[in-house]
Amino acid sequence: MMRIASIAFNQDRDCMGCAVRDEKQISTYILSFQIADQLLSRYQGKWSIYGSGITLDFKDLDHSLTIDYDSGIINYGSLTTAFYHRYNPAKGLKVLVEDICSDLAIPQSEPTEYKEYLFRLFVKMIEIFHARCNVQILPGKNEGEWEIRLGEGEASGWIGKDGIAENRFGEKIDLKQWQDLRIEKAALYVFGFNAFCKNFQCPIK
């Protein structure tokens, strides 16, 4: 597919960070990915990203679970719970997820490492770059494709389910070559590959 280069994006501009964004919106978006990550590590299954949230289909549970990062609401079957106001740094994410599972009558399970590399990569990118740079993960125009967007449409890159990343300049790279790196470093490399910021250089140049 041909991509159209963004000529309006200026990577040398001053970083606005989250200066003009709502703190609740930022924290809810990040927590949505972190909670999904924790749930996948406990129950295993498939994931998908839609316009305003994440859907999880677990192998051994009865219903799909949706996390809406606009409202901070989780739906599972006929049950609903809110999470955006409940995170306590002293208790941590693990306790929050346990409380959510209790609210939704989901059996408790201990987390294990799961194999969904792309989703783990997305979670780490959101943890590192969403608050600072407003990086977002969106469904792509094609099936099995996701858009990595900086800000409100300022610049984008794309990642396919085959692990091929493409930046807005039409350059492509296979993410499999970074899978043996720490997930944090791989997230930095993907961000740099997309040339979103002059402080994160492209790892292939």
Coordinates of all heavy atoms in Angstrom, one line a residue, residues 67-134:
I67 N -12.6 -3.1 27.2 CA -12.1 -2.0 28.0 C -12.2 -0.7 27.2 O -11.6 -0.6 26.1 CB -10.6 -2.2 28.3 CG1 -10.4 -3.6 29.0 CG2 -10.1 -1.1 29.2 CD1 -9.0 -3.9 29.3
D68 N -13.0 0.2 27.6 CA -13.3 1.5 26.9 C -12.4 2.6 27.6 O -12.6 2.9 28.7 CB -14.8 1.9 27.0 CG -15.1 3.0 26.1 OD1 -14.5 4.1 26.3 OD2 -16.0 2.9 25.2
Y69 N -11.4 3.1 26.8 CA -10.6 4.1 27.4 C -11.1 5.5 27.2 O -10.4 6.4 27.7 CB -9.1 3.9 26.9 CG -8.9 3.6 25.4 CD1 -9.2 4.4 24.4 CD2 -8.3 2.4 25.1 CE1 -9.0 4.1 23.1 CE2 -8.0 2.0 23.8 CZ -8.4 2.9 22.8 OH -8.2 2.6 21.5
D70 N -12.2 5.7 26.7 CA -12.9 7.0 26.7 C -13.6 7.2 28.1 O -13.5 8.2 28.7 CB -13.8 7.2 25.6 CG -13.1 7.5 24.3 OD1 -11.9 7.8 24.3 OD2 -13.7 7.3 23.2
S71 N -14.3 6.1 28.5 CA -15.2 6.2 29.7 C -14.5 5.6 30.9 O -14.9 5.9 32.0 CB -16.5 5.5 29.4 OG -16.3 4.1 29.2
G72 N -13.5 4.8 30.7 CA -12.9 4.1 31.9 C -13.8 3.0 32.4 O -13.7 2.7 33.6
I73 N -14.5 2.4 31.5 CA -15.5 1.3 31.9 C -15.1 0.0 31.2 O -14.6 -0.1 30.1 CB -16.9 1.6 31.4 CG1 -17.4 2.9 32.1 CG2 -17.9 0.5 31.6 CD1 -17.6 2.8 33.5
I74 N -15.2 -1.1 32.0 CA -15.0 -2.5 31.5 C -16.3 -3.2 31.5 O -17.0 -3.2 32.5 CB -13.9 -3.2 32.4 CG1 -12.6 -2.5 32.3 CG2 -13.8 -4.6 31.9 CD1 -11.5 -3.1 33.2
N75 N -16.6 -3.9 30.4 CA -17.8 -4.7 30.3 C -17.4 -6.2 30.1 O -16.5 -6.5 29.2 CB -18.6 -4.3 29.1 CG -19.2 -2.9 29.3 OD1 -20.0 -2.7 30.2 ND2 -18.7 -1.9 28.5
Y76 N -18.0 -7.1 30.8 CA -17.8 -8.5 30.7 C -19.2 -9.2 30.8 O -19.7 -9.2 31.9 CB -16.8 -9.0 31.7 CG -16.6 -10.5 31.7 CD1 -15.9 -11.1 30.7 CD2 -17.2 -11.3 32.7 CE1 -15.7 -12.5 30.7 CE2 -17.0 -12.7 32.7 CZ -16.3 -13.3 31.7 OH -16.1 -14.6 31.7
G77 N -19.7 -9.7 29.7 CA -21.0 -10.3 29.8 C -22.0 -9.2 30.2 O -22.0 -8.1 29.6
S78 N -22.8 -9.4 31.2 CA -23.8 -8.4 31.6 C -23.3 -7.6 32.7 O -24.0 -6.7 33.3 CB -25.1 -9.1 32.1 OG -24.8 -10.0 33.2
L79 N -22.0 -7.8 33.1 CA -21.4 -7.0 34.3 C -20.6 -5.9 33.8 O -19.9 -6.0 32.7 CB -20.6 -8.0 35.1 CG -21.4 -9.1 35.7 CD1 -20.5 -10.1 36.5 CD2 -22.5 -8.6 36.7
T80 N -20.5 -4.8 34.5 CA -19.8 -3.6 34.2 C -19.1 -3.1 35.4 O -19.6 -3.2 36.6 CB -20.7 -2.5 33.7 OG1 -21.3 -3.0 32.5 CG2 -19.9 -1.2 33.4
T81 N -17.9 -2.6 35.3 CA -17.1 -2.0 36.4 C -16.3 -0.8 35.8 O -15.9 -0.8 34.7 CB -16.3 -3.0 37.1 OG1 -15.8 -2.4 38.3 CG2 -15.1 -3.4 36.3
A82 N -16.1 0.2 36.7 CA -15.2 1.3 36.3 C -13.8 1.2 36.9 O -13.7 0.6 38.0 CB -15.9 2.6 36.8
F83 N -12.8 1.7 36.2 CA -11.5 1.6 36.8 C -10.7 2.9 36.8 O -9.7 3.0 37.5 CB -10.7 0.6 35.9 CG -10.4 1.0 34.5 CD1 -9.3 1.8 34.2 CD2 -11.3 0.7 33.5 CE1 -9.1 2.2 32.9 CE2 -11.0 1.1 32.2 CZ -9.9 1.9 31.9
Y84 N -11.2 3.9 36.1 CA -10.3 5.1 36.0 C -10.0 5.8 37.3 O -9.0 6.5 37.4 CB -11.0 6.1 35.0 CG -12.3 6.7 35.5 CD1 -12.2 7.9 36.2 CD2 -13.5 6.2 35.1 CE1 -13.4 8.5 36.6 CE2 -14.7 6.8 35.5 CZ -14.6 7.9 36.3 OH -15.8 8.5 36.7
H85 N -10.9 5.7 38.3 CA -10.7 6.4 39.6 C -10.2 5.5 40.7 O -10.1 5.9 41.8 CB -12.0 7.0 40.0 CG -13.1 6.0 40.3 ND1 -13.7 5.2 39.3 CD2 -13.6 5.6 41.5 CE1 -14.6 4.4 39.9 NE2 -14.5 4.6 41.2
R86 N -9.8 4.2 40.4 CA -9.5 3.2 41.4 C -8.1 2.9 41.6 O -7.7 2.2 42.5 CB -10.4 2.0 41.1 CG -11.8 2.2 41.2 CD -12.6 1.0 40.7 NE -12.4 -0.2 41.5 CZ -12.9 -1.4 41.2 NH1 -13.7 -1.5 40.1 NH2 -12.6 -2.4 41.9
Y87 N -7.2 3.3 40.6 CA -5.8 2.9 40.7 C -5.2 3.6 41.9 O -5.3 4.8 42.1 CB -5.1 3.3 39.5 CG -3.6 3.0 39.6 CD1 -3.2 1.7 39.5 CD2 -2.6 4.0 39.7 CE1 -1.8 1.3 39.6 CE2 -1.3 3.7 39.8 CZ -0.9 2.4 39.7 OH 0.4 2.1 39.8
N88 N -4.5 2.8 42.8 CA -3.8 3.3 43.9 C -2.3 2.9 43.8 O -2.0 1.7 43.8 CB -4.4 2.6 45.2 CG -3.8 3.2 46.5 OD1 -2.6 3.6 46.5 ND2 -4.5 3.1 47.6
P89 N -1.5 3.9 43.7 CA 0.0 3.6 43.5 C 0.6 2.7 44.6 O 1.5 1.9 44.3 CB 0.6 5.0 43.4 CG -0.5 5.9 43.0 CD -1.7 5.3 43.6
A90 N 0.0 2.9 45.8 CA 0.5 2.1 46.9 C 0.2 0.6 46.8 O 1.0 -0.2 47.2 CB 0.0 2.7 48.2
K91 N -0.9 0.3 46.2 CA -1.3 -1.1 46.0 C -0.9 -1.6 44.7 O -0.6 -2.8 44.5 CB -2.9 -1.2 46.1 CG -3.4 -0.8 47.5 CD -4.9 -1.0 47.5 CE -5.4 -0.7 48.9 NZ -6.9 -0.9 49.0
G92 N -0.8 -0.8 43.6 CA -0.3 -1.2 42.4 C -1.3 -1.8 41.4 O -2.5 -2.0 41.8
L93 N -0.8 -2.1 40.2 CA -1.7 -2.6 39.2 C -2.3 -4.0 39.5 O -3.4 -4.3 39.1 CB -0.9 -2.6 37.9 CG -1.7 -2.9 36.6 CD1 -2.8 -1.8 36.3 CD2 -0.8 -2.9 35.4
K94 N -1.5 -4.8 40.1 CA -1.9 -6.2 40.4 C -3.2 -6.2 41.2 O -4.1 -7.0 40.9 CB -0.8 -7.0 41.0 CG -1.2 -8.4 41.3 CD 0.0 -9.2 42.0 CE -0.4 -10.6 42.3 NZ 0.6 -11.4 43.0
V95 N -3.2 -5.4 42.3 CA -4.4 -5.4 43.1 C -5.6 -4.8 42.4 O -6.7 -5.3 42.6 CB -4.1 -4.5 44.4 CG1 -5.3 -4.3 45.2 CG2 -3.0 -5.2 45.2
L96 N -5.4 -3.8 41.6 CA -6.5 -3.2 40.8 C -7.1 -4.3 39.9 O -8.3 -4.4 39.8 CB -6.0 -2.1 39.9 CG -7.0 -1.5 38.9 CD1 -8.2 -1.0 39.7 CD2 -6.3 -0.4 38.1
V97 N -6.3 -5.1 39.2 CA -6.8 -6.1 38.3 C -7.5 -7.2 39.1 O -8.5 -7.7 38.7 CB -5.6 -6.7 37.5 CG1 -6.1 -7.9 36.7 CG2 -5.1 -5.6 36.5
E98 N -7.0 -7.5 40.3 CA -7.7 -8.5 41.1 C -9.0 -8.0 41.5 O -10.0 -8.8 41.5 CB -6.8 -8.8 42.3 CG -5.6 -9.7 42.0 CD -4.7 -9.8 43.2 OE1 -4.9 -9.1 44.2 OE2 -3.7 -10.6 43.1
D99 N -9.1 -6.7 41.9 CA -10.4 -6.1 42.2 C -11.4 -6.1 41.1 O -12.6 -6.4 41.2 CB -10.2 -4.7 42.7 CG -9.5 -4.6 44.1 OD1 -9.5 -5.7 44.8 OD2 -9.0 -3.6 44.5
I100 N -10.9 -5.8 39.9 CA -11.7 -5.8 38.7 C -12.2 -7.2 38.4 O -13.4 -7.4 38.1 CB -10.9 -5.3 37.5 CG1 -10.6 -3.8 37.6 CG2 -11.6 -5.6 36.1 CD1 -9.6 -3.3 36.6
C101 N -11.4 -8.2 38.5 CA -11.8 -9.6 38.3 C -12.9 -10.0 39.3 O -13.9 -10.7 39.0 CB -10.6 -10.6 38.4 SG -9.5 -10.4 37.0
S102 N -12.8 -9.5 40.5 CA -13.8 -9.8 41.6 C -15.1 -9.1 41.2 O -16.2 -9.8 41.3 CB -13.3 -9.3 42.9 OG -14.2 -9.5 43.9
D103 N -15.0 -7.9 40.8 CA -16.3 -7.2 40.4 C -17.0 -7.9 39.2 O -18.2 -7.9 39.2 CB -15.9 -5.8 39.9 CG -15.4 -4.9 41.0 OD1 -15.5 -5.2 42.2 OD2 -14.9 -3.8 40.6
L104 N -16.2 -8.5 38.3 CA -16.8 -9.1 37.1 C -17.0 -10.6 37.3 O -17.4 -11.3 36.3 CB -15.9 -8.8 35.9 CG -15.7 -7.4 35.6 CD1 -14.7 -7.2 34.4 CD2 -17.0 -6.7 35.2
A105 N -16.8 -11.1 38.5 CA -17.0 -12.5 38.8 C -16.1 -13.4 37.9 O -16.6 -14.5 37.4 CB -18.5 -12.9 38.7
I106 N -14.9 -13.0 37.6 CA -13.9 -13.8 36.9 C -13.0 -14.5 37.9 O -12.5 -13.8 38.8 CB -13.1 -12.8 36.0 CG1 -14.0 -12.2 34.9 CG2 -12.0 -13.6 35.3 CD1 -13.3 -11.2 34.0
P107 N -12.9 -15.8 37.7 CA -12.0 -16.5 38.7 C -10.6 -15.9 38.7 O -10.0 -15.6 37.7 CB -12.0 -17.9 38.1 CG -13.2 -18.0 37.3 CD -13.4 -16.6 36.7
Q108 N -10.0 -15.8 39.9 CA -8.7 -15.3 40.1 C -7.7 -16.3 39.5 O -7.8 -17.5 39.5 CB -8.4 -15.1 41.5 CG -9.2 -14.0 42.2 CD -8.9 -12.6 41.7 OE1 -7.9 -12.4 41.1 NE2 -9.9 -11.7 41.9
S109 N -6.6 -15.8 38.9 CA -5.6 -16.6 38.2 C -4.3 -15.8 38.3 O -4.2 -14.6 38.2 CB -5.9 -16.9 36.8 OG -4.9 -17.6 36.1
E110 N -3.2 -16.5 38.5 CA -1.9 -15.9 38.6 C -1.3 -15.6 37.2 O -1.5 -16.3 36.3 CB -0.9 -16.8 39.3 CG -1.1 -16.9 40.8 CD -1.0 -15.6 41.5 OE1 0.0 -14.9 41.3 OE2 -1.9 -15.2 42.3
P111 N -0.7 -14.4 37.1 CA -0.1 -14.0 35.8 C 1.1 -14.9 35.3 O 1.8 -15.4 36.2 CB 0.3 -12.6 36.0 CG 0.5 -12.5 37.5 CD -0.4 -13.4 38.1
T112 N 1.1 -15.1 34.1 CA 2.3 -15.8 33.5 C 2.7 -15.1 32.2 O 1.9 -14.2 31.7 CB 1.9 -17.3 33.1 OG1 0.8 -17.3 32.1 CG2 1.6 -18.1 34.3
E113 N 3.8 -15.3 31.7 CA 4.2 -14.6 30.4 C 3.5 -15.2 29.3 O 3.3 -16.4 29.1 CB 5.7 -14.8 30.2 CG 6.2 -14.0 29.0 CD 7.8 -14.0 28.9 OE1 8.4 -14.4 29.9 OE2 8.3 -13.6 27.9
Y114 N 2.9 -14.3 28.5 CA 2.1 -14.7 27.3 C 2.9 -14.3 26.0 O 3.8 -13.5 26.0 CB 0.7 -14.1 27.3 CG 0.6 -12.6 27.2 CD1 0.3 -12.0 26.0 CD2 0.8 -11.8 28.3 CE1 0.2 -10.7 25.9 CE2 0.7 -10.4 28.2 CZ 0.4 -9.9 27.0 OH 0.3 -8.5 26.9
K115 N 2.4 -14.9 24.9 CA 3.2 -14.9 23.7 C 2.8 -13.8 22.7 O 3.4 -13.7 21.6 CB 3.2 -16.2 23.0 CG 3.7 -17.4 23.8 CD 3.6 -18.7 23.1 CE 4.2 -19.8 23.9 NZ 4.1 -21.1 23.1
E116 N 1.9 -12.9 23.0 CA 1.4 -11.9 22.1 C 2.4 -10.7 22.1 O 2.2 -9.7 22.7 CB 0.0 -11.4 22.6 CG -1.1 -12.5 22.5 CD -1.4 -12.8 21.0 OE1 -1.2 -12.0 20.1 OE2 -1.9 -13.9 20.8
Y117 N 3.4 -10.9 21.3 CA 4.6 -10.0 21.3 C 4.1 -8.6 20.9 O 4.5 -7.6 21.5 CB 5.7 -10.4 20.4 CG 6.8 -9.4 20.3 CD1 7.7 -9.3 21.3 CD2 6.9 -8.6 19.2 CE1 8.8 -8.4 21.2 CE2 7.9 -7.7 19.1 CZ 8.9 -7.6 20.1 OH 9.9 -6.6 20.0
L118 N 3.3 -8.5 19.8 CA 2.9 -7.2 19.3 C 2.1 -6.4 20.4 O 2.3 -5.2 20.6 CB 2.1 -7.3 18.1 CG 2.8 -7.5 16.8 CD1 1.9 -7.6 15.6 CD2 3.8 -6.4 16.5
F119 N 1.2 -7.1 21.1 CA 0.4 -6.4 22.1 C 1.3 -5.9 23.3 O 1.2 -4.8 23.8 CB -0.7 -7.2 22.6 CG -1.7 -6.4 23.4 CD1 -2.6 -5.6 22.8 CD2 -1.7 -6.4 24.8 CE1 -3.5 -4.8 23.6 CE2 -2.6 -5.7 25.6 CZ -3.5 -4.9 24.9
R120 N 2.3 -6.7 23.7 CA 3.2 -6.3 24.7 C 4.0 -5.1 24.3 O 4.3 -4.2 25.1 CB 4.1 -7.5 25.1 CG 3.4 -8.7 25.8 CD 4.2 -9.9 26.0 NE 5.6 -9.6 26.5 CZ 6.7 -10.0 26.0 NH1 6.7 -10.8 24.9 NH2 7.8 -9.7 26.5
L121 N 4.4 -5.1 23.0 CA 5.1 -4.0 22.4 C 4.3 -2.7 22.5 O 4.7 -1.6 22.9 CB 5.5 -4.3 21.0 CG 6.3 -3.2 20.3 CD1 7.7 -3.0 20.9 CD2 6.5 -3.6 18.8
F122 N 3.0 -2.8 22.1 CA 2.1 -1.7 22.1 C 1.9 -1.2 23.5 O 1.9 0.1 23.8 CB 0.7 -2.1 21.5 CG 0.7 -2.3 20.1 CD1 -0.3 -3.1 19.5 CD2 1.7 -1.8 19.2 CE1 -0.3 -3.3 18.1 CE2 1.7 -2.1 17.9 CZ 0.7 -2.8 17.3
V123 N 1.8 -2.1 24.5 CA 1.6 -1.6 25.9 C 2.8 -0.8 26.3 O 2.7 0.2 26.9 CB 1.4 -2.9 26.8 CG1 1.5 -2.5 28.3 CG2 0.1 -3.6 26.5
K124 N 4.0 -1.3 26.0 CA 5.2 -0.6 26.4 C 5.3 0.7 25.7 O 5.8 1.7 26.3 CB 6.4 -1.5 26.1 CG 7.7 -1.0 26.9 CD 7.5 -0.9 28.4 CE 7.1 -2.2 29.0 NZ 7.0 -2.0 30.5
M125 N 5.0 0.8 24.5 CA 5.0 2.1 23.8 C 4.1 3.1 24.4 O 4.4 4.3 24.6 CB 4.6 1.9 22.3 CG 5.7 1.2 21.5 SD 5.3 1.2 19.7 CE 5.6 3.0 19.3
I126 N 2.9 2.6 24.8 CA 1.9 3.5 25.5 C 2.4 4.0 26.8 O 2.3 5.1 27.2 CB 0.6 2.8 25.6 CG1 -0.1 2.6 24.2 CG2 -0.4 3.6 26.5 CD1 -0.2 3.8 23.4
E127 N 3.0 3.0 27.6 CA 3.6 3.4 28.9 C 4.7 4.4 28.8 O 4.7 5.4 29.6 CB 4.1 2.1 29.6 CG 3.1 1.2 30.1 CD 3.7 -0.1 30.7 OE1 4.9 -0.4 30.5 OE2 3.0 -0.7 31.5
I128 N 5.5 4.3 27.8 CA 6.6 5.2 27.7 C 6.2 6.6 27.0 O 6.7 7.6 27.4 CB 7.8 4.6 26.9 CG1 8.3 3.3 27.6 CG2 8.9 5.6 26.6 CD1 9.3 2.5 26.8
F129 N 5.4 6.5 26.0 CA 5.2 7.7 25.1 C 3.9 8.3 25.1 O 3.7 9.4 24.5 CB 5.6 7.3 23.7 CG 7.0 6.9 23.5 CD1 7.4 5.6 23.1 CD2 8.0 7.9 23.6 CE1 8.7 5.3 23.0 CE2 9.4 7.5 23.4 CZ 9.7 6.2 23.1
H130 N 2.8 7.7 25.7 CA 1.5 8.3 25.6 C 1.4 9.6 26.3 O 1.0 10.7 25.8 CB 0.4 7.4 26.1 CG -1.0 8.0 25.9 ND1 -1.5 8.3 24.7 CD2 -1.8 8.4 26.9 CE1 -2.7 8.8 24.9 NE2 -2.9 8.9 26.2
A131 N 1.8 9.6 27.6 CA 1.7 10.8 28.4 C 2.6 12.0 27.9 O 2.2 13.1 27.8 CB 2.1 10.6 29.9
R132 N 3.8 11.6 27.4 CA 4.7 12.6 27.0 C 4.4 13.1 25.5 O 4.5 14.3 25.3 CB 6.1 12.0 27.0 CG 7.2 12.9 26.4 CD 8.6 12.3 26.5 NE 9.6 13.1 25.9 CZ 10.9 12.9 25.9 NH1 11.3 11.7 26.5 NH2 11.8 13.7 25.4
C133 N 4.0 12.2 24.6 CA 4.0 12.5 23.2 C 2.6 12.2 22.6 O 2.4 12.5 21.4 CB 5.0 11.7 22.4 SG 6.7 11.8 23.1
N134 N 1.6 11.8 23.4 CA 0.3 11.4 22.9 C 0.4 10.4 21.8 O -0.4 10.4 20.8 CB -0.4 12.7 22.4 CG -1.9 12.4 22.2 OD1 -2.5 11.4 22.7 ND2 -2.6 13.3 21.5

